Amino acid sequence: MKTELYYFTGTGNGLHIAKSVKESLVQRNEAVELIPINTLNLSQSLHSSANRIGIIYPTYAMTAPAIVKRFAEKLRVSSKSYVFTYAHCGGGGAGGATSSIVDILSDNDIIVTNTFQTRFPSNSTLFKYTDEKLESILSKSEVSVKENVRAIVDMVENIRPKSNSLNRASRKMSGIFSSALENHLQFKVIEANDNCNGCSVCSKVCPMENIEMNGKPQFKSNCEMCFACINNCPQKSLGFKKMNRKDFKPYRHPNVNVKELMYR
Ligand SMILES: Cc1cc2nc3c(=O)[nH]c(=O)nc-3n(C[C@H](O)[C@H](O)[C@H](O)COP(=O)(O)O)c2cc1C
Ligand code: SF4
Ligand code: SF4
């Protein structure tokens, strides 16, 4: 039995899920591969022959990240595979992120055997949690992750009915709203302040190879707004214009270390 877990993560919530699934499967002596979606060549079809295939990703602006949608468009699997999506979110719900990927996969004749969701602390810089609140959300998310991991390991099925045209139309409307939100985010420019010491951590954790070092980080135009750079900068140097960096509490899932998020 072979499992492939494709994930996209900025601050480690998704990697924590992937690691949790892997741990349970390894205990059963099953082969598991963790594959960051951002390391794949998405200009061509991707064929997977794994028996169990998971797609794990965050909710951005009420939908799935653009790179995960591109991945879903390219994925080809055997009709016998157990395919699951696992969308997580920061409190606004992961329904839109789930349906956007399920729709793309079903257009490619891939039947999603089950879908999972978990609420995590939001990695958005807009949210500030007290330590107590953060701990409370993390402990609730762990209950959800454990429950979902059990279902994934046991290959529990819960196939969603194929979406009808009314559902798709209403998704199109919310898609227009989330595109507007996404566009709004894209216009927010991330920059380093004078605290930057040129350590290059931001460039290493950027899943999109969007940061080049030239003494200080230079941002290119391929940002997914994953906030990995902002949350992992040891100097709290990165942020948007007018962002209050002094009060900013960086976030990374406690079960993930910064090295696990580095791609280079
Ligand atoms: C740009 C951006 C947009 C987001 N939009 C939403 C949203 O619409 N709804 C929501 O519940 N969470 C939203 N979040 C929160 C993330 O989905 C959540 O924190 C997720 O677990 C982060 O996963 P990661 O740690 O694997 O990167 C957003 C985060 C970012 C960075
Ligand atoms: S991680 Fe922070 S301190 Fe290091 S290079 Fe990037 S902005 Fe500068
Ligand atoms: S530049 Fe920062 S926010 Fe944008 S993709 Fe890279 S790490 Fe994520």
Side-chain angles (χ1 to χ4, degrees), residues 232-247:
N232 285 291
C233 168
Q235 303 299 322
K236 290 211 283 181
S237 164
L238 291 174
F240 305 114
K241 275 197 179 82
K242 291 186 186 165
M243 185 178 129
N244 179 353
R245 288 156 169 81
K246 205 159 74 58
D247 294 340

Side-chain angles (χ1 to χ4, degrees), residues 174-213:
S174 66
I176 292 167
F177 179 64
S178 59
S179 298
L181 252 173
E182 272 176 329
N183 286 341
H184 169 71
L185 286 165
Q186 292 298 331
F187 283 115
K188 285 184 161 255
V189 178
I190 301 170
E191 55 187 16
N193 70 9
D194 289 344
N195 290 345
C196 174
N197 63 9
C199 72
S200 82
V201 168
C202 53
S203 165
K204 290 176 183 160
V205 299
C206 175
M208 303 305 294
E209 296 191 34
N210 192 47
I211 305 177
E212 256 171 33
M213 289 305 296

Side-chain angles (χ1 to χ4, degrees), residues 8-14 58 60 123 205 207 226-229 231-232 252 261 263:
F8 181 75
T9 188
T11 52
N13 293 340
Y60 290 169
N123 61 355
V205 299
C226 74
F227 293 173
C229 54
N231 282 283
N232 285 291
R252 184 184 339 110
L261 295 176
Y263 301 99

Side-chain angles (χ1 to χ4, degrees), residues 8-15 58-63 88-93 120-124 185 224-227 251:
F8 181 75
T9 188
T11 52
N13 293 340
L15 181 52
T59 301
Y60 290 169
M62 298 180 342
T63 185
H88 45 97
C89 61
F120 276 96
S122 179
N123 61 355
S124 161
L185 286 165
E224 275 283 352
M225 284 285 157
C226 74
F227 293 173
Y251 172 79

Side-chain angles (χ1 to χ4, degrees), residues 93-117:
T98 301
S99 53
S100 60
I101 296 302
V102 172
D103 281 354
I104 294 171
L105 294 172
S106 81
D107 288 346
N108 279 344
D109 296 325
I110 298 175
I111 295 169
V112 175
T113 334
N114 210 336
T115 59
F116 302 95
Q117 299 176 3

Side-chain angles (χ1 to χ4, degrees), residues 135-159:
E135 215 167 285
S136 153
I137 300 173
L138 277 169
S139 74
K140 282 185 193 146
S141 58
E142 202 45 28
V143 173
S144 163
V145 170
K146 285 212 163 85
E147 192 179 309
N148 290 337
V149 168
R150 270 195 298 276
I152 291 165
V153 168
D154 293 339
M155 300 221 268
V156 174
E157 296 191 7
N158 184 14
I159 297 172

